[in-house]
Amino acid sequence: MALTETERPAAGGTPGKGVPRRPVGNRRRFTGRTALVLFLFMLPAIVFVGLFTYYPLLSGIQMAFRNYNLNDLSDTSWVGLDNFRTLVGDEMFRGTVRNSLVWVAGSLIPQFLIGFTMALWLRRRFRFRGAYQALVFFPWAVSGFLIGILFRWMFNGEFGVVNDLLMKTHLIDTPVPWLADAKYAMVAVIVANVWYGVTFFAIMILAALQSVPDELYEASAIDGAGKVRTLFSITIPSIRTTLALTVLLRVIWIFNSPELIFGMTGGGPANETHIVTSYMIQVTQEGDYGRASAMGVMVVFVLLLFAVFYLLAIKPRTPRRKVAR
Amino acid sequence: MRHRQMFAPLTAALAAATLVVTACGPGPAEKAQEGGEVRLQMVESLTNPTRTQLLKKLIADFEAKNDGIKVQLISPPTNQADQKIQQMLQSGKGVDVLEVRDTTVGPFSTNKWIYDMAPDLKGWDGLDALTPNALQVTQQGGKSYMVPYGFYGLSLFYRKDLVQQAGFSGPPKSWTEMVEQAKKINDPSKNRYGYSFRGGLGGGGNAIAVISGYVIDDINKDNAFKLTDGKTIFSSPKAVDALNLYVDLFKNASPPSSVSWGYPEMVQGFTSGTTGFLLQDPEVIATVRESKTIKEDQWGTAPLPVGPTGKAAQPLANAGWGVAQGSEQKEAAVKLVKFLTSGDAAMTFSKENSLVPILKSAAEDPFFKDGPWASYVAMNSSPDTYVVVTQPRGVPWSTEWGNKADADVQKLITGKAQPAEILKSWDEYWTKKWAGN
């Protein structure tokens, strides 16, 4: 039964005139028993998250401060900041930090631009759109390591399809040793990662685009806005939050996804394509869990800082009202 | 009513707790005596589908002959297998029999994760059937942490037709001849190269094969990274000559992209007809036979190239089966190890897996006497020329060293470092490690 105007609660939550108050005696009080019931309902989730997320996390953090080497567990004593000091003094680690920045920037920008373009294109109605969408989203279903191995063969200097195509189209005269030369190898792994990650942006941006009301586009068309104006005045502002969060997520994922590099170059040639996380895996394989955990802690710390600053930077600013004097 | 209210969450909590507990799962010990039968968990490391099928067949034979013992084989992907095994051993559960390699036996035994089978092997007639090399591996340092199932030994695969076209009567016998022939065969304009260079994963091992051939007269056979005077092989001036030759082989007779070639690429290089020479284990024989590009009469195998003094070091890499210290079914586990490393099972595994065999009786078997296997037999029958040495592959830092050596070889062939620099850093590395730093 609809409430009449007088019966509706007034703004602020206080009952309006004529609304019968619920008798105080009947109000459910938050008792200890209720708390226990709620806690028991939450217990399975607490146990699972604690066991599979926080225990490994805390275990990893404490390992970073220990001499924890799987090859010799006779002395796993606390070593304070030694693992971190070793890393800071490790020239190779510093190189992987530089490579990580190149890897993230080099992968993210093309992924974003191509993914955005694809999403805009896939939003339009055309024949076989469903089939195109399925094709475009396919790479996302394949493991990064496998993609790495695939591209390793494609970029092979002697029997790879990339050189074959470039030679046949006369873009190059002699085969390019893609994975054998440091300057080409980084380009090759980034190309593979762009191909792999474009899909993620396309999926996310397409989903956001579909939530933008058509009326806005109709109105902008009536107002005589061109395609570029519509893009910057309607489309981008409408999906701003999705774009921002997608970029944030992708930065974290790209930084944390060494499997493609591992499959494609193994960090070579001469460690030139190692990023921090692929180097971390290598150190783990060598058994030095202490040093690898120290890297892990550093990565988490840096990514947390980045996330905080990034979210602060993209936070919508409400314009201050001018105080009337 | 209240009771009912409490019932739902309590049930949920109980269910969750049950799930968590069961997720940890019963180990083999708990499962061992189900229905009065012994259950063993076995983990392999160098997994490949064909080999897994072969192992399952051998396990079925074992189960048929040992009523009351059931074996479950776990086959993790090769590139993560040793790590998985390490984690299993560390937890002390979930594994009874495992694949132990010469590179993992050190760390596994240092951490007391694997069982010394020496007392169990006393009086076992299988020991008498082993070749001297296999027996040496089985009884290293008076302990028996593993019994090998076979050896991986390098020999030279070569293209008979290309060697002939280049004007040579036969395959190269020494490293110097190898460079000479490879250069002649090398013709990038036809996408044909002399040598399948291993510059990627495992590249360090091949570089050391050349160095060992150069310092063979001064090498410590029991620790092939040391000279008889106690210094490392990398400190020898002959090692510089070896690496100079090796760089020459890369620059003037190998594909430029082989800087990043690991096992699959170097084998593909040979089987696709791109390269004339390949240094590889006998397991490649089967792969080359499957090639659609090169026919059976176009290729052959030859012994490992020798150094300047006419000798080569033959470091026999090996792997075998061992028992986990945490196993509560050690008797049955040792029984399985003995079964797999003796009689028909051991011979079948060597043949179908293309391994240098562990049994003396293999020398009389026609399978190992003919065709491509002949070079391995020739090497084993000339111990003065092809000197069997033991490399320190079982040290706890073997993975770290492998990564370092691979990266350094890439620096060397890409001109980022000179032979003397690389050798100095290798010398320092091993000297430090042996000093316990």
Side-chain angles (χ1 to χ4, degrees), chain A residues 28 33 36-37 40-41 43-44 47-48 51 68 70-74 145 152-153 156-159 177 179-180 182 268-272 282 284-286 289 291, chain B residues 2 6 9-10 12-13 16 19-20 79 83 86 90 107 110-111 113 191 193 255-257 259-261 264-265 268-269 272 274 396 399-400 403 407 410-411 414 416:
Chain A
R28 282 180 78 178
R33 184 173 291 114
L36 179 68
V37 169
L40 286 175
F41 269 114
L43 190 63
V47 167
F48 274 95
L51 204 64
Y68 203 96
L70 266 198
N71 299 318
D72 185 5
L73 293 169
S74 56
F145 187 73
R152 182 165 122 193
W153 284 107
N156 184 293
E158 275 66 41
F159 17 79
L179 304 180
N271 299 324
E272 295 285 356
Q282 183 177 297
T284 308
Q285 285 177 335
E286 288 168 8
Y289 278 32
R291 200 155 50 105
Chain B
R2 266 184 212 154
M6 293 289 291
L10 272 172
L19 274 171
V20 169
N79 56 352
Q83 248 182 312
Q86 223 168 31
Q90 207 178 358
T110 304
N111 292 326
W113 288 339
N191 198 32
Y193 297 91
S257 70
V259 169
S260 57
W261 281 15
E265 290 92 351
Q268 170 74 14
S272 67
T274 306
T399 313
E400 180 188 67
N403 288 335
Q410 288 186 327
K411 283 179 193 166
T414 52
K416 287 190 166 64

Coordinates of all heavy atoms in Angstrom, one line a residue, chain A residues 28 33 36-37 40-41 43-44 47-48 51 68 70-74 145 152-153 156-159 177 179-180 182 268-272 282 284-286 289 291, chain B residues 2 6 9-10 12-13 16 19-20 79 83 86 90 107 110-111 113 191 193 255-257 259-261 264-265 268-269 272 274 396 399-400 403 407 410-411 414 416:
Chain A
R28 N 14.9 -5.1 17.5 CA 15.9 -6.2 17.7 C 17.2 -5.5 18.2 O 17.7 -4.6 17.6 CB 16.1 -6.9 16.4 CG 15.0 -7.9 16.1 CD 15.3 -8.6 14.8 NE 16.3 -9.6 15.0 CZ 16.7 -10.4 14.1 NH1 16.2 -10.3 12.8 NH2 17.6 -11.4 14.3
R33 N 24.6 -13.0 21.3 CA 24.3 -14.2 20.6 C 24.2 -13.9 19.1 O 24.7 -14.6 18.3 CB 22.9 -14.7 21.1 CG 22.6 -16.0 20.4 CD 21.4 -16.7 20.9 NE 21.6 -17.2 22.2 CZ 21.0 -16.8 23.3 NH1 20.1 -15.8 23.2 NH2 21.2 -17.3 24.5
L36 N 27.6 -13.7 17.7 CA 28.1 -15.0 17.5 C 27.6 -15.7 16.3 O 28.4 -16.3 15.5 CB 27.8 -15.9 18.8 CG 28.3 -17.3 18.7 CD1 29.8 -17.3 18.8 CD2 27.8 -18.1 19.8
V37 N 26.3 -15.5 16.1 CA 25.7 -16.1 14.9 C 26.3 -15.5 13.6 O 26.7 -16.2 12.7 CB 24.1 -15.9 14.9 CG1 23.5 -16.2 13.5 CG2 23.5 -16.7 16.0
L40 N 29.8 -16.8 13.2 CA 29.8 -18.2 12.7 C 29.5 -18.2 11.2 O 30.1 -19.1 10.4 CB 28.8 -19.1 13.4 CG 29.3 -19.4 14.9 CD1 28.2 -20.2 15.6 CD2 30.5 -20.2 14.9
F41 N 28.6 -17.4 10.7 CA 28.3 -17.3 9.3 C 29.5 -16.9 8.5 O 29.8 -17.3 7.4 CB 27.1 -16.4 9.0 CG 25.8 -17.1 9.0 CD1 24.9 -16.8 10.0 CD2 25.6 -18.1 8.0 CE1 23.7 -17.5 10.0 CE2 24.3 -18.7 8.0 CZ 23.4 -18.5 9.0
L43 N 32.6 -17.2 9.5 CA 33.8 -18.1 9.8 C 34.4 -18.8 8.6 O 35.6 -18.8 8.4 CB 33.5 -19.0 10.9 CG 34.7 -19.8 11.5 CD1 35.6 -18.8 12.2 CD2 34.2 -20.8 12.5
P44 N 33.6 -19.5 7.8 CA 34.2 -20.2 6.6 C 35.0 -19.3 5.8 O 36.1 -19.6 5.4 CB 33.0 -20.7 5.9 CG 31.9 -20.8 6.9 CD 32.1 -19.7 7.8
V47 N 38.2 -18.3 7.6 CA 39.2 -19.4 7.6 C 39.9 -19.5 6.2 O 41.1 -19.6 6.1 CB 38.5 -20.7 8.0 CG1 39.4 -21.9 7.7 CG2 38.1 -20.7 9.4
F48 N 39.1 -19.5 5.2 CA 39.6 -19.7 3.8 C 40.6 -18.6 3.4 O 41.7 -18.8 2.9 CB 38.5 -19.9 2.8 CG 38.0 -21.3 2.7 CD1 36.9 -21.7 3.4 CD2 38.7 -22.2 1.9 CE1 36.5 -23.0 3.3 CE2 38.3 -23.5 1.8 CZ 37.2 -23.9 2.5
L51 N 43.7 -18.7 5.5 CA 44.5 -19.9 5.2 C 45.2 -19.7 3.8 O 46.4 -20.0 3.7 CB 43.7 -21.2 5.2 CG 44.4 -22.5 5.4 CD1 45.0 -22.5 6.8 CD2 43.4 -23.6 5.2
Y68 N 66.7 -17.8 4.3 CA 65.9 -19.0 4.0 C 66.2 -19.5 2.6 O 65.7 -19.0 1.6 CB 64.4 -18.6 4.0 CG 63.5 -19.8 4.3 CD1 63.1 -20.2 5.5 CD2 63.1 -20.6 3.2 CE1 62.3 -21.3 5.8 CE2 62.3 -21.7 3.4 CZ 61.9 -22.1 4.7 OH 61.1 -23.2 4.9
L70 N 66.4 -22.9 0.3 CA 66.0 -24.3 0.3 C 67.1 -25.3 0.1 O 67.0 -26.5 0.4 CB 65.0 -24.5 -0.9 CG 63.5 -24.4 -0.6 CD1 62.7 -25.0 -1.8 CD2 63.1 -25.0 0.7
N71 N 68.2 -24.8 -0.5 CA 69.3 -25.7 -0.7 C 70.1 -26.1 0.6 O 70.8 -27.0 0.6 CB 70.3 -25.2 -1.7 CG 69.6 -24.9 -3.1 OD1 68.9 -25.8 -3.5 ND2 69.9 -23.8 -3.7
D72 N 69.9 -25.3 1.6 CA 70.5 -25.6 2.9 C 69.7 -24.9 4.0 O 69.8 -23.7 4.3 CB 71.9 -25.0 2.9 CG 72.6 -25.4 4.2 OD1 72.0 -26.1 5.0 OD2 73.8 -24.9 4.4
L73 N 68.8 -25.8 4.6 CA 67.9 -25.2 5.6 C 68.5 -25.4 7.0 O 67.7 -25.3 8.0 CB 66.5 -25.9 5.5 CG 65.8 -25.6 4.2 CD1 64.6 -26.5 4.0 CD2 65.3 -24.2 4.2
S74 N 69.8 -25.6 7.1 CA 70.4 -25.9 8.4 C 70.4 -24.5 9.2 O 70.5 -24.5 10.4 CB 71.8 -26.5 8.3 OG 72.6 -25.6 7.5
F145 N 52.2 -18.3 -20.4 CA 53.4 -19.1 -20.7 C 53.3 -19.7 -22.1 O 54.3 -19.7 -22.8 CB 53.5 -20.2 -19.6 CG 54.8 -21.0 -19.7 CD1 56.0 -20.4 -19.3 CD2 54.8 -22.3 -20.2 CE1 57.2 -21.1 -19.4 CE2 56.0 -23.0 -20.3 CZ 57.2 -22.4 -19.9
R152 N 57.8 -17.3 -29.1 CA 59.2 -17.7 -29.2 C 59.5 -18.3 -30.6 O 60.5 -18.0 -31.2 CB 59.6 -18.7 -28.1 CG 61.0 -19.0 -28.1 CD 61.3 -19.7 -26.8 NE 61.9 -21.0 -26.9 CZ 62.0 -21.9 -25.9 NH1 61.5 -21.5 -24.7 NH2 62.5 -23.0 -26.1
W153 N 58.6 -19.2 -31.0 CA 58.8 -19.8 -32.3 C 58.5 -18.9 -33.5 O 59.1 -18.9 -34.5 CB 57.9 -21.1 -32.5 CG 58.4 -22.2 -31.7 CD1 58.0 -22.7 -30.5 CD2 59.6 -23.0 -32.0 NE1 58.7 -23.8 -30.1 CE2 59.8 -24.0 -31.0 CE3 60.5 -23.0 -33.0 CZ2 60.8 -24.9 -30.9 CZ3 61.6 -23.9 -33.0 CH2 61.7 -24.9 -32.0
N156 N 61.4 -16.7 -34.0 CA 62.7 -17.4 -34.2 C 63.3 -16.8 -35.5 O 62.7 -16.7 -36.5 CB 62.4 -18.9 -34.4 CG 63.7 -19.7 -34.5 OD1 64.4 -19.6 -35.5 ND2 64.0 -20.5 -33.6
G157 N 64.6 -16.6 -35.4 CA 65.3 -15.9 -36.5 C 65.4 -16.8 -37.8 O 65.3 -16.2 -38.9
E158 N 65.5 -18.1 -37.7 CA 65.7 -18.9 -38.9 C 64.4 -19.5 -39.4 O 64.2 -19.6 -40.6 CB 66.7 -20.1 -38.5 CG 68.1 -19.7 -38.7 CD 68.5 -18.6 -37.7 OE1 68.1 -18.8 -36.5 OE2 69.2 -17.7 -38.1
F159 N 63.5 -20.0 -38.5 CA 62.3 -20.6 -39.0 C 61.1 -20.0 -38.4 O 60.1 -20.7 -38.3 CB 62.3 -22.2 -38.9 CG 63.3 -22.7 -37.9 CD1 63.1 -22.7 -36.5 CD2 64.5 -23.2 -38.3 CE1 64.0 -23.2 -35.6 CE2 65.5 -23.7 -37.4 CZ 65.2 -23.7 -36.1
P177 N 67.6 -11.4 -36.0 CA 67.6 -12.3 -34.8 C 66.9 -11.7 -33.6 O 67.4 -11.2 -32.7 CB 69.1 -12.4 -34.5 CG 69.7 -11.1 -35.0 CD 68.8 -10.6 -36.1
L179 N 65.2 -12.6 -30.9 CA 65.4 -13.0 -29.5 C 66.8 -13.1 -29.1 O 67.1 -13.4 -28.0 CB 64.6 -14.2 -29.2 CG 63.1 -14.2 -29.5 CD1 62.5 -15.5 -29.2 CD2 62.4 -13.1 -28.8
A180 N 67.7 -12.8 -30.1 CA 69.1 -13.0 -29.8 C 69.8 -11.6 -29.5 O 70.9 -11.6 -29.0 CB 69.8 -13.7 -31.0
A182 N 69.6 -7.9 -27.7 CA 68.9 -7.3 -26.6 C 67.9 -6.2 -27.0 O 66.7 -6.2 -26.5 CB 69.9 -6.7 -25.6
G268 N 66.4 -13.9 -21.2 CA 67.6 -13.6 -22.0 C 67.3 -12.6 -23.1 O 66.2 -12.1 -23.2
P269 N 68.3 -12.3 -24.0 CA 69.7 -12.7 -24.0 C 70.4 -12.0 -22.9 O 70.3 -10.8 -22.7 CB 70.2 -12.3 -25.3 CG 69.3 -11.2 -25.8 CD 68.0 -11.5 -25.2
A270 N 71.3 -12.8 -22.2 CA 72.1 -12.2 -21.1 C 71.4 -11.4 -20.1 O 71.8 -10.3 -19.7 CB 73.3 -11.4 -21.7
N271 N 70.2 -11.9 -19.7 CA 69.3 -11.3 -18.7 C 68.7 -10.0 -19.1 O 68.1 -9.3 -18.3 CB 70.1 -11.1 -17.4 CG 70.6 -12.4 -16.8 OD1 69.9 -13.4 -16.9 ND2 71.8 -12.4 -16.2
E272 N 68.8 -9.7 -20.4 CA 68.3 -8.3 -20.9 C 66.8 -8.2 -20.9 O 66.3 -7.0 -20.9 CB 68.8 -8.1 -22.3 CG 70.3 -8.0 -22.4 CD 70.9 -6.7 -21.9 OE1 70.1 -5.8 -21.5 OE2 72.1 -6.5 -21.8
Q282 N 63.2 -16.8 -11.0 CA 64.5 -17.4 -11.2 C 65.2 -17.6 -9.9 O 65.8 -18.7 -9.6 CB 65.4 -16.6 -12.1 CG 66.7 -17.2 -12.4 CD 67.6 -16.4 -13.4 OE1 67.2 -16.2 -14.5 NE2 68.7 -16.0 -12.9
T284 N 63.8 -17.9 -7.0 CA 63.0 -18.9 -6.3 C 63.5 -20.3 -6.8 O 63.7 -21.2 -5.9 CB 61.5 -18.7 -6.5 OG1 61.2 -17.4 -6.2 CG2 60.7 -19.7 -5.7
Q285 N 63.6 -20.4 -8.1 CA 64.1 -21.7 -8.6 C 65.5 -22.1 -8.1 O 65.8 -23.3 -7.9 CB 64.1 -21.7 -10.1 CG 62.7 -21.7 -10.7 CD 62.7 -21.6 -12.3 OE1 63.7 -21.1 -12.8 NE2 61.7 -22.1 -12.9
E286 N 66.3 -21.1 -7.9 CA 67.6 -21.3 -7.3 C 67.6 -21.7 -5.9 O 68.6 -22.1 -5.3 CB 68.5 -20.1 -7.5 CG 68.9 -19.9 -9.0 CD 69.5 -18.5 -9.3 OE1 69.8 -17.8 -8.3 OE2 69.7 -18.2 -10.4
Y289 N 64.8 -18.5 -1.2 CA 63.4 -18.0 -0.9 C 63.5 -16.7 -0.1 O 62.6 -15.8 -0.2 CB 62.6 -19.0 -0.1 CG 62.0 -20.0 -0.9 CD1 62.6 -20.5 -2.1 CD2 60.7 -20.6 -0.6 CE1 62.0 -21.5 -2.9 CE2 60.1 -21.6 -1.4 CZ 60.7 -22.0 -2.5 OH 60.2 -22.9 -3.3
R291 N 65.8 -14.1 -0.5 CA 66.0 -13.0 -1.4 C 64.8 -12.8 -2.3 O 64.4 -11.7 -2.6 CB 67.2 -13.3 -2.3 CG 67.8 -12.1 -2.9 CD 69.3 -12.3 -3.2 NE 69.6 -13.5 -3.9 CZ 69.9 -13.6 -5.2 NH1 69.9 -12.5 -6.0 NH2 70.2 -14.8 -5.8
Chain B
R2 N 15.5 -21.0 19.1 CA 16.9 -20.5 19.2 C 17.9 -21.5 18.8 O 18.9 -21.3 18.1 CB 17.2 -20.1 20.6 CG 17.0 -18.6 20.8 CD 17.4 -18.3 22.2 NE 16.5 -17.2 22.7 CZ 16.2 -17.0 24.0 NH1 16.7 -17.8 24.9 NH2 15.5 -16.0 24.3
M6 N 20.7 -21.4 15.8 CA 22.2 -21.6 15.9 C 22.6 -22.7 15.0 O 23.8 -22.8 14.7 CB 22.5 -22.0 17.4 CG 22.3 -21.0 18.4 SD 23.5 -19.7 18.2 CE 25.0 -20.6 18.8
P9 N 24.4 -21.8 11.2 CA 25.8 -21.4 11.1 C 26.7 -22.4 11.7 O 27.8 -22.6 11.2 CB 25.8 -20.1 12.0 CG 24.6 -20.1 12.8 CD 23.5 -20.9 12.0
L10 N 26.3 -23.1 12.7 CA 27.2 -24.2 13.2 C 27.5 -25.2 12.2 O 28.6 -25.7 12.0 CB 26.5 -24.8 14.5 CG 26.8 -24.1 15.8 CD1 26.0 -24.7 16.9 CD2 28.3 -24.2 16.1
A12 N 27.3 -24.8 9.0 CA 28.2 -24.2 8.0 C 29.7 -24.2 8.4 O 30.6 -24.5 7.7 CB 27.8 -22.8 7.7
A13 N 29.9 -23.8 9.7 CA 31.2 -23.7 10.2 C 31.9 -25.1 10.2 O 33.0 -25.3 9.9 CB 31.2 -23.1 11.6
A16 N 32.8 -26.1 6.8 CA 34.0 -25.4 6.4 C 35.2 -26.0 7.0 O 36.2 -26.2 6.3 CB 33.9 -23.9 6.7
L19 N 36.0 -29.2 5.3 CA 36.6 -28.9 4.0 C 38.1 -28.6 4.2 O 38.9 -29.0 3.4 CB 35.9 -27.8 3.3 CG 34.6 -28.2 2.5 CD1 33.9 -26.9 2.0 CD2 35.0 -29.0 1.3
V20 N 38.3 -27.7 5.1 CA 39.7 -27.2 5.3 C 40.6 -28.4 5.7 O 41.7 -28.6 5.1 CB 39.8 -26.1 6.4 CG1 41.2 -25.8 6.7 CG2 39.1 -24.8 5.8
N79 N 59.0 -28.3 -16.4 CA 59.6 -27.0 -16.0 C 59.3 -26.6 -14.6 O 59.9 -25.8 -14.0 CB 59.3 -25.9 -17.0 CG 57.8 -25.6 -17.1 OD1 57.0 -26.4 -16.7 ND2 57.5 -24.6 -17.8
Q83 N 60.5 -28.2 -8.6 CA 60.0 -27.3 -7.5 C 58.9 -28.0 -6.8 O 58.8 -27.9 -5.5 CB 59.5 -26.0 -8.1 CG 60.4 -24.8 -7.7 CD 59.8 -23.5 -8.3 OE1 59.5 -23.5 -9.5 NE2 59.7 -22.5 -7.5
Q86 N 60.2 -30.6 -4.6 CA 60.9 -29.9 -3.4 C 59.8 -29.5 -2.4 O 60.0 -29.8 -1.2 CB 61.6 -28.6 -3.9 CG 62.9 -28.4 -3.3 CD 63.7 -27.3 -4.0 OE1 63.1 -26.4 -4.5 NE2 65.0 -27.4 -4.0
Q90 N 59.4 -31.1 1.3 CA 59.5 -30.1 2.5 C 58.3 -30.4 3.4 O 58.5 -30.3 4.6 CB 59.5 -28.7 1.9 CG 60.2 -27.8 2.9 CD 60.1 -26.3 2.3 OE1 59.7 -26.1 1.2 NE2 60.7 -25.4 3.1
P107 N 71.0 -31.0 -2.9 CA 70.1 -30.2 -2.0 C 69.1 -31.2 -1.3 O 68.9 -31.0 -0.1 CB 69.3 -29.3 -2.9 CG 69.9 -29.4 -4.3 CD 71.0 -30.4 -4.3
T110 N 71.2 -32.9 1.4 CA 71.6 -31.9 2.5 C 70.5 -31.6 3.4 O 70.7 -31.5 4.6 CB 72.0 -30.6 1.8 OG1 73.1 -30.9 0.8 CG2 72.6 -29.6 2.8
N111 N 69.3 -31.5 2.9 CA 68.1 -31.2 3.8 C 67.5 -32.4 4.4 O 66.4 -32.3 5.0 CB 67.1 -30.4 2.9 CG 67.6 -29.1 2.6 OD1 68.3 -28.4 3.3 ND2 67.2 -28.6 1.4
W113 N 65.9 -34.9 3.1 CA 64.6 -35.2 2.5 C 64.5 -36.5 1.9 O 63.4 -37.0 1.6 CB 64.2 -34.1 1.5 CG 64.0 -32.8 2.0 CD1 63.6 -32.5 3.3 CD2 64.0 -31.5 1.3 NE1 63.4 -31.1 3.4 CE2 63.6 -30.5 2.2 CE3 64.3 -31.2 0.0 CZ2 63.5 -29.2 1.9 CZ3 64.2 -29.8 -0.4 CH2 63.8 -28.8 0.6
N191 N 70.2 -20.1 -46.0 CA 69.6 -20.4 -44.6 C 70.2 -21.7 -44.1 O 69.5 -22.5 -43.5 CB 68.1 -20.4 -44.7 CG 67.5 -20.3 -43.2 OD1 68.1 -19.6 -42.4 ND2 66.4 -20.9 -43.0
Y193 N 73.4 -23.4 -41.9 CA 74.5 -23.0 -40.9 C 75.2 -24.3 -40.5 O 74.7 -25.4 -40.6 CB 73.9 -22.3 -39.7 CG 73.2 -21.0 -40.1 CD1 71.9 -21.0 -40.4 CD2 73.9 -19.8 -40.1 CE1 71.2 -19.8 -40.8 CE2 73.3 -18.6 -40.5 CZ 72.0 -18.6 -40.8 OH 71.4 -17.5 -41.2
P255 N 73.8 -20.1 -36.6 CA 72.8 -19.1 -36.8 C 72.8 -17.9 -35.8 O 73.0 -18.2 -34.6 CB 71.5 -19.9 -36.6 CG 71.9 -21.3 -36.6 CD 73.3 -21.4 -36.2
P256 N 72.7 -16.7 -36.3 CA 72.7 -15.5 -35.3 C 71.7 -15.7 -34.2 O 72.0 -15.3 -33.1 CB 72.4 -14.3 -36.2 CG 72.7 -14.8 -37.6 CD 72.5 -16.2 -37.7
S257 N 70.5 -16.2 -34.5 CA 69.5 -16.2 -33.5 C 69.7 -17.4 -32.5 O 69.0 -17.5 -31.5 CB 68.1 -16.4 -34.1 OG 68.0 -17.7 -34.6
V259 N 71.7 -17.5 -30.3 CA 72.0 -16.9 -28.9 C 70.9 -17.3 -28.0 O 71.2 -17.6 -26.8 CB 72.0 -15.3 -29.0 CG1 72.0 -14.7 -27.6 CG2 73.2 -14.9 -29.8
S260 N 69.7 -17.5 -28.5 CA 68.6 -17.8 -27.5 C 68.1 -19.3 -27.7 O 67.1 -19.6 -27.2 CB 67.4 -16.9 -27.8 OG 67.0 -17.0 -29.1
W261 N 68.9 -20.1 -28.4 CA 68.4 -21.4 -28.7 C 68.6 -22.3 -27.5 O 69.7 -22.5 -27.0 CB 69.2 -22.1 -29.9 CG 68.7 -21.6 -31.2 CD1 67.8 -20.6 -31.4 CD2 68.9 -22.2 -32.5 NE1 67.6 -20.5 -32.8 CE2 68.2 -21.5 -33.5 CE3 69.7 -23.3 -32.9 CZ2 68.3 -21.8 -34.8 CZ3 69.8 -23.6 -34.2 CH2 69.1 -22.9 -35.2
P264 N 64.9 -27.3 -27.6 CA 64.0 -27.6 -28.8 C 64.5 -26.9 -30.1 O 64.4 -27.5 -31.1 CB 62.6 -27.0 -28.3 CG 62.9 -26.2 -27.2 CD 64.2 -26.6 -26.6
E265 N 65.0 -25.7 -29.9 CA 65.4 -25.0 -31.1 C 66.7 -25.6 -31.8 O 66.8 -25.7 -33.0 CB 65.8 -23.5 -30.8 CG 64.5 -22.7 -30.5 CD 64.2 -22.6 -29.0 OE1 64.9 -23.4 -28.3 OE2 63.4 -21.8 -28.6
Q268 N 65.5 -28.7 -33.5 CA 64.8 -28.3 -34.7 C 65.7 -27.8 -35.8 O 65.5 -28.1 -36.9 CB 63.8 -27.2 -34.2 CG 63.0 -26.5 -35.4 CD 62.0 -27.4 -36.0 OE1 61.6 -28.4 -35.4 NE2 61.5 -27.0 -37.2
G269 N 66.7 -27.1 -35.4 CA 67.7 -26.6 -36.3 C 68.3 -27.7 -37.2 O 68.5 -27.6 -38.4
S272 N 65.4 -29.8 -39.2 CA 64.8 -29.1 -40.3 C 65.8 -28.9 -41.4 O 65.4 -28.3 -42.4 CB 64.3 -27.7 -39.8 OG 65.4 -26.9 -39.4
T274 N 68.5 -27.1 -41.3 CA 69.1 -25.8 -41.2 C 70.6 -25.9 -40.8 O 71.4 -25.1 -41.3 CB 68.4 -24.9 -40.3 OG1 67.0 -24.9 -40.6 CG2 68.9 -23.5 -40.3
P396 N 74.4 -27.9 -3.9 CA 73.2 -27.1 -3.6 C 72.9 -25.9 -4.5 O 71.8 -25.5 -4.7 CB 73.3 -26.7 -2.1 CG 74.3 -27.7 -1.6 CD 75.2 -28.1 -2.7
T399 N 71.4 -25.0 -9.5 CA 70.5 -24.2 -10.3 C 71.0 -22.8 -10.5 O 70.9 -22.2 -11.6 CB 69.1 -24.2 -9.6 OG1 68.8 -25.5 -9.2 CG2 68.0 -23.6 -10.6
E400 N 71.5 -22.2 -9.4 CA 72.0 -20.8 -9.5 C 73.2 -20.8 -10.5 O 73.3 -19.9 -11.3 CB 72.5 -20.4 -8.1 CG 73.1 -19.0 -8.0 CD 73.7 -18.8 -6.6 OE1 74.8 -19.4 -6.3 OE2 73.2 -17.9 -5.9
N403 N 72.0 -21.0 -14.1 CA 71.5 -19.7 -14.6 C 72.6 -18.7 -14.9 O 72.6 -18.0 -15.9 CB 70.5 -19.1 -13.6 CG 69.2 -19.8 -13.5 OD1 68.8 -20.4 -14.4 ND2 68.5 -19.7 -12.3
A407 N 73.6 -17.3 -18.7 CA 73.6 -15.8 -19.0 C 75.0 -15.3 -19.4 O 75.1 -14.5 -20.3 CB 73.2 -15.1 -17.7
Q410 N 75.8 -16.1 -23.0 CA 75.1 -15.2 -23.8 C 75.9 -13.9 -23.9 O 76.0 -13.2 -25.0 CB 73.7 -14.9 -23.4 CG 72.8 -16.1 -23.7 CD 71.3 -15.9 -23.3 OE1 71.0 -15.1 -22.4 NE2 70.4 -16.5 -24.1
K411 N 76.4 -13.5 -22.8 CA 77.2 -12.2 -22.7 C 78.5 -12.4 -23.6 O 78.9 -11.5 -24.4 CB 77.7 -11.9 -21.3 CG 76.6 -11.3 -20.4 CD 77.1 -11.0 -19.1 CE 76.0 -10.7 -18.1 NZ 76.4 -10.8 -16.7
T414 N 77.6 -12.5 -27.4 CA 77.0 -11.2 -27.9 C 78.0 -10.1 -27.8 O 77.7 -8.9 -28.1 CB 75.7 -10.8 -27.2 OG1 76.0 -10.8 -25.8 CG2 74.6 -11.8 -27.5
K416 N 79.4 -8.9 -25.1 CA 79.3 -8.0 -23.9 C 80.4 -8.4 -22.9 O 80.6 -7.6 -22.0 CB 77.9 -8.2 -23.3 CG 76.8 -7.6 -24.0 CD 75.5 -7.6 -23.2 CE 74.5 -6.7 -23.8 NZ 74.1 -7.1 -25.2

